[in-house]
């Protein structure tokens, strides 16, 4: 499928999409191609009509996929067809009039400051490579708001002790500089000392490693956050993203500028950052009622 190869090259080289995103897009398009081949005996997804895509959507619903997941798959397909229009390989987009399936807005409940402090201040981390590494991971998530994949891909060269900053490679390979707290730098120095003491190091340039010296992986990072916060929080979801959410919410609650938080999070638009403001609005209401001279009337 030459057009698919051209599409993936376009996403990687021109749009600067991450390899992970391109892989997901490719998987979705290949999945649709397989469906068309089986259901309609067609080898070419460039010549489909909307009814055929609609049948795929119905099949995905019957498989038990959520509307959110289905929308992501259709979005990948739509991006592909838009690319074909762009290069003149297609005259009309079969998804031009498609409307996304309705999804319920998930309210992400952040950890409270008490819960975060219970983990970072009250919990006794093992004085070992893994113990100090785990503490640093938690501190970095909460003090910088970086994404899980961004943390996994951090390199030793990402840290600048002199400037007290961290260079983060975000979505679409966009770099941003994030300030580091003195307390985080202290834990970072401690971790690097333990890191040097590992028997072997496979991935020399990577910051976070497993005890076997290999690059840390996303599921392990998730497990670390979930395990430690299970001891301090009764919330259903305990993940790196919730820590990122907590970082943004707590900054906004303390009066941080929305644009500044947007830059720290690596968002491309304010709309993405505004999802974190619902908690800060409730805090503002409390302040407003407590401080306004007419609130008692």
């Amino acid at each position: 499928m030459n057009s698919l190869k051209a599409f993936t090259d376009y996403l990687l080289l021109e749009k600067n999409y991450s390899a992970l995103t391109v892989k997901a897009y490719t998987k979705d398009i290949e999945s649709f191609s397989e469906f068309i081949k089986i259901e309609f005996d067609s080898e070419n997804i460039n010549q489909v009509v909307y009814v055929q895509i609609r049948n795929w959507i119905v099949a995905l619903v019957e498989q038990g996929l959520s509307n959110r997941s289905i929308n992501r798959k259709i979005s990948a397909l739509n991006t592909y067809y838009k690319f074909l229009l762009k290069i003149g390989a297609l005259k009309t987009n079969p998804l031009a009039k498609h409307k996304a399936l309705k999804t319920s807005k998930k309210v992400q409940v952040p950890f409270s400051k008490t819960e975060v402090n219970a983990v970072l201040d009250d919990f006794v981390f093992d004085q070992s490579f893994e113990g100090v590494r785990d503490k640093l991971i938690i501190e970095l998530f909460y003090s910088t708001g970086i994404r899980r994949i961004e943390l996994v891909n951090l390199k030793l060269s990402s840290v600048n002790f002199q400037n007290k900053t961290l260079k983060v490679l975000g979505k679409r390979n966009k770099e941003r500089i994030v300030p580091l707290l003195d307390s985080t730098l202290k834990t970072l120095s401690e971790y690097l000392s333990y890191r040097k003491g590992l028997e072997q190091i496979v991935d020399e340039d990577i910051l976070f490693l497993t005890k076997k010296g290999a690059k840390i992986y996303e599921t392990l990072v998730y497990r670390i956050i979930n395990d430690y916060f299970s001891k301090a929080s009764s919330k259903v979801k305990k993940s790196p993203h919730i820590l990122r959410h907590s970082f943004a919410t707590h900054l906004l609650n303390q009066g941080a500028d929305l644009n500044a938080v947007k830059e720290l999070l690596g968002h491309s638009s304010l709309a993405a950052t505004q999802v974190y403001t619902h908690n800060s609005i409730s805090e503002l209401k409390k302040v407003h009622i407590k401080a306004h001279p007419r609130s008692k009337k």
Side-chain angles (χ1 to χ4, degrees), residues 115-134:
E115 287 171 329
V116 176
N117 290 336
V119 173
L120 288 175
D121 297 336
D122 301 337
F123 187 82
V124 179
F125 290 84
D126 290 341
Q127 281 303 302
S128 63
F129 167 76
E130 286 186 308
V132 176
R133 180 202 62 190
D134 294 354

Side-chain angles (χ1 to χ4, degrees), residues 195 197-204 209-214:
R195 186 184 180 280
L198 288 174
E199 286 185 19
Q200 64 168 352
I201 296 180
V202 181
D203 296 297
E204 291 279 355
L209 304 174
T210 66
K211 62 182 178 182
K212 293 181 179 178

Side-chain angles (χ1 to χ4, degrees), residues 172-236:
R172 302 183 186 180
N173 294 322
K174 186 179 177 183
E175 280 188 354
R176 68 184 187 279
I177 303 296
V178 181
L180 290 172
L181 300 174
D182 287 340
S183 57
T184 306
L185 286 166
K186 184 180 177 183
T187 309
L188 186 51
S189 294
E190 194 179 353
Y191 164 72
L192 290 175
S193 295
Y194 278 104
R195 186 184 180 280
K196 285 178 185 174
L198 288 174
E199 286 185 19
Q200 64 168 352
I201 296 180
V202 181
D203 296 297
E204 291 279 355
D205 61 330
I206 297 298
L207 179 61
F208 285 108
L209 304 174
T210 66
K211 62 182 178 182
K212 293 181 179 178
K215 180 180 179 180
I216 203 168
Y217 47 97
E218 288 192 65
T219 50
L220 175 56
V221 174
Y222 178 90
R223 197 158 64 237
I224 288 167
I225 301 304
N226 188 68
D227 287 351
Y228 283 99
F229 276 87
S230 290
K231 300 175 177 72
S233 174
S234 59
K235 288 182 173 63
V236 174

